[in-house]
Amino acid sequence: MPQANQPFIYRSIFISDVHLGTKDARAEYLLDFLAHVRCEYLFLDGDVFDIWKMKTSRWHWPLLNTQLLQKFMELASAGTRVIYVPGNHDEFFRDYLGSEIGGVQIHREYLHTLADGRKALILHGDEFDSVVRHSRLLKWIGNAGYEVLMWANRASFRVRRWLGKGYWSLSLAIKQQVPNARIYIEKFEQAAIRHARAHQVDVIVCGHIHHANLREEQGVTYANSGDWVEHCTAIVEHMSGQLELVNWVKESAERLDGRLRLDAPVVPAPVLDQPVSAKSAHS
């Protein structure tokens, strides 16, 4: 465990589904996470923005969102290789594949070589929607039902903060009780694993379904980075190439030895003192 004020050092960090532009985005938690880490590669694995919501009159853009975008660009300018793989909610940026914005490189998918030599395919995961059939209940949850769950989640968050308690996802607890939701997740994971085997890669990293997981099956490591709406999770690659699932809300207090208060106001993260040299790799 690092000493006070020392960052956690990773080779790569994978995050997805931040959904900036909605009231549900937990930008303050992601800013806090990025303030306590350093990495050579940062993968933004889709749905960083919620363009769907931003096209309506209900979009939401606090100052924290702008600070988060500035942090991405600061990391890129300081030497971290920042790779953005747009998802379905921010597919607008798929029109700019191969380009670079503020030092952030945009790709449709990305082949990354882990430190231990394994090949990892990074994509958002909406590609599997045509493979996995949605039940009517799941479609309802994904549309109007999901909006209701998110409203309830925000209300629960405000009440818990008023009571001095930490973040807890009411919407996640409800969805975990829906059998069809668990079936859909399993089908999605199986589709991703089949995709990895078909492309002869060792690891597949995705997001999209807001269900973080790290597991091995059929010789493939399936890694889902979850989201920063309900879970506040990320997949990290250690310098050895080992992957780990990090839940920042649950683990930060323990990881920082009690020195971090997640309910405290967030101060914009400083630029890294020294650039992190990226190793050569990849497509």
Side-chain angles (χ1 to χ4, degrees):
M1 178 172 292
Q3 300 301 314
N5 302 321
Q6 290 186 348
F8 299 97
I9 306 297
Y10 299 116
R11 186 168 183 264
S12 306
I13 296 175
F14 307 83
I15 63 174
S16 66
D17 297 274
V18 188
H19 289 276
L20 297 177
T22 71
K23 292 181 179 179
D24 307 301
R26 302 267 70 90
E28 67 273 29
Y29 288 83
L30 182 51
L31 264 171
D32 183 80
F33 173 65
L34 293 176
H36 289 92
V37 298
R38 287 188 182 178
C39 58
E40 297 180 5
Y41 302 94
L42 174 62
F43 292 95
L44 309 176
D45 199 5
D47 288 1
V48 174
F49 303 90
D50 198 316
I51 304 297
W52 296 3
K53 180 68 69 174
M54 293 170 71
K55 288 181 178 179
T56 73
S57 59
R58 294 179 294 170
W59 74 291
H60 180 68
W61 195 269
L63 177 61
L64 280 170
N65 289 7
T66 301
Q67 292 174 340
L68 182 57
L69 298 185
Q70 290 173 338
K71 179 61 178 175
F72 292 151
M73 291 185 283
E74 287 173 359
L75 288 170
S77 65
T80 296
R81 190 169 182 184
V82 183
I83 309 294
Y84 178 26
V85 179
N88 54 315
H89 281 258
D90 50 11
E91 62 184 351
F92 167 82
F93 290 97
R94 289 176 176 172
D95 293 335
Y96 299 91
L97 299 178
S99 62
E100 186 175 295
I101 301 177
V104 177
Q105 304 170 24
I106 304 176
H107 295 268
R108 182 65 179 83
E109 58 182 34
Y110 198 84
L111 185 63
H112 175 59
T113 304
L114 301 180
D116 56 13
R118 288 181 295 166
K119 298 294 183 181
L121 181 63
I122 295 97
L123 43 73
H124 178 60
D126 60 298
E127 296 88 344
F128 307 132
D129 278 346
S130 61
V131 179
V132 180
R133 291 186 176 182
H134 298 257
S135 69
R136 291 184 178 180
L137 177 60
L138 260 264
K139 288 182 179 179
W140 182 84
I141 290 177
N143 295 297
Y146 188 73
E147 291 288 339
V148 173
L149 287 178
M150 289 296 96
W151 177 86
N153 203 55
R154 290 195 298 271
S156 171
F157 177 68
R158 287 193 295 268
V159 171
R160 290 180 64 84
R161 173 168 283 184
W162 181 73
L163 294 174
K165 296 184 177 181
Y167 177 73
W168 173 75
S169 176
L170 173 64
S171 59
L172 175 60
I174 293 174
K175 287 193 295 183
Q176 286 177 335
Q177 303 306 312
V178 180
N180 281 353
R182 294 194 293 271
I183 293 172
Y184 168 73
I185 290 169
E186 176 61 25
K187 289 183 176 179
F188 179 92
E189 293 183 354
Q190 290 297 327
I193 290 169
R194 288 195 300 270
H195 187 83
R197 287 172 60 86
H199 287 75
Q200 299 182 330
V201 295
D202 308 292
V203 180
I204 188 161
V205 185
C206 58
H208 186 54
I209 60 172
H210 294 207
H211 184 80
N213 200 5
L214 181 62
R215 65 183 246 195
E216 292 192 25
E217 185 174 329
Q218 303 177 41
V220 171
T221 299
Y222 168 84
N224 192 304
S225 51
D227 65 272
W228 292 83
V229 173
E230 301 169 76
H231 302 81
C232 298
T233 52
I235 296 290
V236 299
E237 177 196 359
H238 292 273
M239 290 301 180
S240 64
Q242 177 187 357
L243 297 177
E244 179 189 357
L245 173 59
V246 174
N247 185 317
W248 190 243
V249 172
K250 291 182 179 179
E251 299 178 18
S252 58
E254 177 182 347
R255 286 168 171 261
L256 297 171
D257 198 22
R259 288 184 289 272
L260 173 66
R261 292 180 62 248
L262 286 176
D263 57 346
V266 175
V267 178
V271 180
L272 300 180
D273 321 358
Q274 298 178 351
V276 181
S277 59
K279 299 177 183 177
S280 61
H282 337 131
S283 62

